[in-house]
Amino acid sequence: MPQPDGGAHWEGDDQTVKDPDEQRVLFGALDSFYQYAKVAHFNTTHVRRQSFYALPRQHSELLARPPFSVLETLDEVDNCIDRNAELAIDILNTGLHSFGVSRGLGDKSSTAWQGAATANDLDKARSTLKQFFRDWSEEGRDERTACYQPVTKALQVEREAHPNGPPLKVLVPGAGLARLVFDLCYLGFDTEGNEISYHQLLGSAYILKHCPRAKQHTIHPWVHSFSNHITRAHQLKSVLVPDIHPGATLSNSPMLGQMSMTASDFICLYEGAEYSDHFDAVATVFFLDTAPNIIRYLETMWKCLRVGGVLVNIGPLLWHFEGTAPGTHGKGESKTGQHSHGNGEMHGANNHEDNKGIAEPGSIELTDDEVVALVQKLGFEIVKKESGITTPYIHDPESMLQTVYKASHWVARKVAR
């Protein structure tokens, strides 16, 4: 049964553990999955039990009985967190093995990764588990269709224009949990994903290479928040992940492409000479607005595309570093809490701390029409443009709060200059 080809980056890299800065970021990600259950229990149920018992006695007694049964609900939430934690621990164990790090539990000489997680790491672990709903559950299919189908259709049109050529080489920056990378590989494209977040890389490595079967895990994506639920059953709703077994699915592909992942800052890696004129297409999904300076992103994409290659984009413009002071990019947390979109998450908010590309000073926020004008100024020709495409992001369709993007989708072709 074929397995996704991840190379050294997906399987772990000894140099990562040897480099102090990389080790710090990796260990923070590993520890955040280890601590997920403890932190989630404290923040989600322990604090609420304290608040419940602080109510006037007659009020707490009323709410302890049906139809409210608040204490029973908190017990159920704890059970849901424990099921989420099963996935978190499998991701942790796979990461420890892949990077050659000792689990170290009870062994004081091998516990360097324990306690390394920052508050930001812990938020990212919770967000990553939640993202499995979008990328690897049957219930997330509608989100994937809205965001990925315009990209796959544009790439299939491009392939049809070159029916006798070799497989198109596609780069997917900001690949996240790698579902689009997987889908393009299944469709016959040689696909390289790029991701900077160890949380996302550890999650994608587990689901693509180590998860033993489809529907291995039960997760409860909405359990951490108590707001905007019509019924308690909605909050406690579960989904099974992954919806498919990647290896088994690829074995049935009629036109299987190659698949790989790189773990790095997009700009730092792909502006290198070895990637000049390397790809036939770059596919950006909810990615362009993660840049402090979008010009650097677009210049790098132009450089790594061959002449005639296409940049296929879909997404909103939720500029992740809006309001960030010059020189502070990558030196801490982006303003996730101030840039949420109804569910406490920021799309693509997986930025590695202290990476060179994002850490450069200076930033700019453009409108959609200005982005399109900039694309043309930097050596592309717009060949297709659509606006107002409804694209949810880790969206609970049963919530009382419905927040979706009206995304822009365009295809731009690299021209010689």
Side-chain angles (χ1 to χ4, degrees):
M1 181 181 298
Q3 294 291 322
D5 176 15
H9 294 290
W10 235 329
E11 278 301 322
D13 187 339
D14 290 340
Q15 296 304 313
T16 295
V17 179
K18 293 176 182 177
D19 181 272
D21 290 333
E22 288 294 314
Q23 182 188 88
R24 174 178 56 81
V25 180
L26 171 63
F27 283 6
L30 291 169
D31 183 51
S32 68
F33 286 113
Y34 175 62
Q35 290 199 55
Y36 161 76
K38 179 182 72 173
V39 173
H41 283 309
F42 179 84
N43 291 335
T44 311
T45 57
H46 175 71
V47 171
R48 284 182 172 83
R49 285 189 179 94
Q50 290 182 318
S51 297
F52 175 81
Y53 286 119
L55 292 169
R57 181 174 178 180
Q58 64 271 29
H59 295 173
S60 62
E61 289 178 349
L62 170 64
L63 294 172
R65 297 191 295 268
F68 314 105
S69 304
V70 168
L71 294 176
E72 292 180 15
T73 293
L74 294 177
D75 288 342
E76 290 184 67
V77 169
D78 277 330
N79 291 334
C80 294
I81 289 171
D82 287 339
R83 283 190 285 271
N84 289 351
E86 293 174 6
L87 174 57
I89 292 302
D90 279 351
I91 293 171
L92 166 68
N93 289 334
T94 296
L96 291 172
H97 175 76
S98 296
F99 285 92
V101 180
S102 170
R103 198 164 197 272
L105 300 180
D107 177 2
K108 293 184 179 179
S109 65
S110 304
T111 58
W113 60 272
Q114 293 182 51
T118 65
N120 194 32
D121 287 319
L122 296 167
D123 285 343
K124 288 179 181 179
R126 177 180 53 80
S127 177
T128 298
L129 294 174
K130 192 173 180 180
Q131 191 171 330
F132 278 92
F133 164 83
R134 171 183 172 86
D135 274 354
W136 292 102
S137 79
E138 179 63 34
E139 290 80 357
R141 179 185 297 273
D142 289 345
E143 280 199 23
R144 295 195 299 274
T145 298
C147 296
Y148 299 161
Q149 192 173 78
V151 173
T152 58
K153 283 186 174 180
L155 293 174
Q156 287 170 322
V157 168
E158 189 69 12
R159 179 168 60 191
E160 289 167 3
H162 306 87
N164 299 318
L168 295 185
K169 297 170 67 174
V170 182
L171 172 64
V172 181
L177 291 179
R179 183 57 184 257
L180 179 59
V181 175
F182 172 86
D183 287 347
L184 291 174
C185 173
Y186 179 83
L187 292 172
F189 297 96
D190 288 347
T191 311
E192 181 167 308
N194 168 248
E195 178 56 53
I196 197 170
S197 165
Y198 277 120
H199 293 79
Q200 300 283 305
L201 288 161
L202 292 167
S204 65
Y206 170 71
I207 214 71
L208 285 165
K209 297 181 71 69
H210 299 283
C211 187
R213 61 183 177 90
K215 302 181 179 179
Q216 170 75 10
H217 295 278
T218 299
I219 64 169
H220 300 264
W222 321 122
V223 75
H224 302 100
S225 172
F226 281 69
S227 298
N228 290 310
H229 296 293
I230 296 174
T231 70
R232 195 60 65 192
H234 291 165
Q235 179 187 8
L236 302 175
K237 181 178 179 180
S238 66
V239 299
L240 297 173
V241 299
D243 58 318
I244 56 172
H245 185 267
T249 302
L250 291 180
S251 69
N252 294 319
S253 170
M255 51 174 72
L256 185 64
Q258 297 294 313
M259 186 187 339
S260 62
M261 285 284 283
T262 61
S264 69
D265 178 293
F266 166 69
I267 293 173
C268 292
L269 179 61
Y270 292 100
E271 70 177 1
E274 66 272 26
Y275 283 104
S276 292
D277 305 311
H278 187 76
F279 293 100
D280 300 296
V282 175
T284 54
V285 178
F286 283 59
F287 178 71
L288 292 183
D289 55 3
T290 67
N293 180 0
I294 189 176
I295 296 176
R296 289 296 308 277
Y297 269 20
L298 293 172
E299 288 176 335
T300 302
M301 293 168 189
W302 189 92
K303 184 174 182 179
C304 70
L305 279 169
R306 63 170 179 80
V307 174
V310 291
L311 169 55
V312 183
N313 176 70
I314 187 169
L317 292 175
L318 179 67
W319 296 107
H320 286 200
F321 292 91
E322 182 174 351
T324 303
T328 61
H329 306 140
K331 298 183 183 295
E333 301 179 22
S334 60
K335 298 176 67 176
T336 305
Q338 298 180 28
H339 290 68
S340 64
H341 46 82
N343 59 10
E345 312 299 337
M346 174 190 265
H347 73 256
N350 306 305
N351 294 324
H352 205 302
E353 295 181 12
D354 299 329
N355 58 86
K356 296 178 182 177
I358 290 176
E360 292 180 345
S363 63
I364 189 69
E365 302 88 31
L366 302 179
T367 64
D368 184 47
D369 61 341
E370 290 171 340
V371 169
V372 172
L374 179 63
V375 168
Q376 295 174 94
K377 291 284 187 181
L378 294 178
F380 292 93
E381 175 189 7
I382 299 294
V383 297
K384 178 183 179 181
K385 173 100 169 50
E386 296 180 54
S387 299
I389 301 174
T390 300
T391 51
Y393 192 88
I394 317 181
H395 170 74
D396 178 5
E398 296 176 321
S399 172
M400 297 172 71
L401 176 63
Q402 298 291 303
T403 305
V404 298
Y405 294 110
K406 294 293 185 179
S408 176
H409 168 50
W410 42 263
V411 180
R413 190 175 305 280
K414 176 179 175 176
V415 295
R417 60 184 184 186

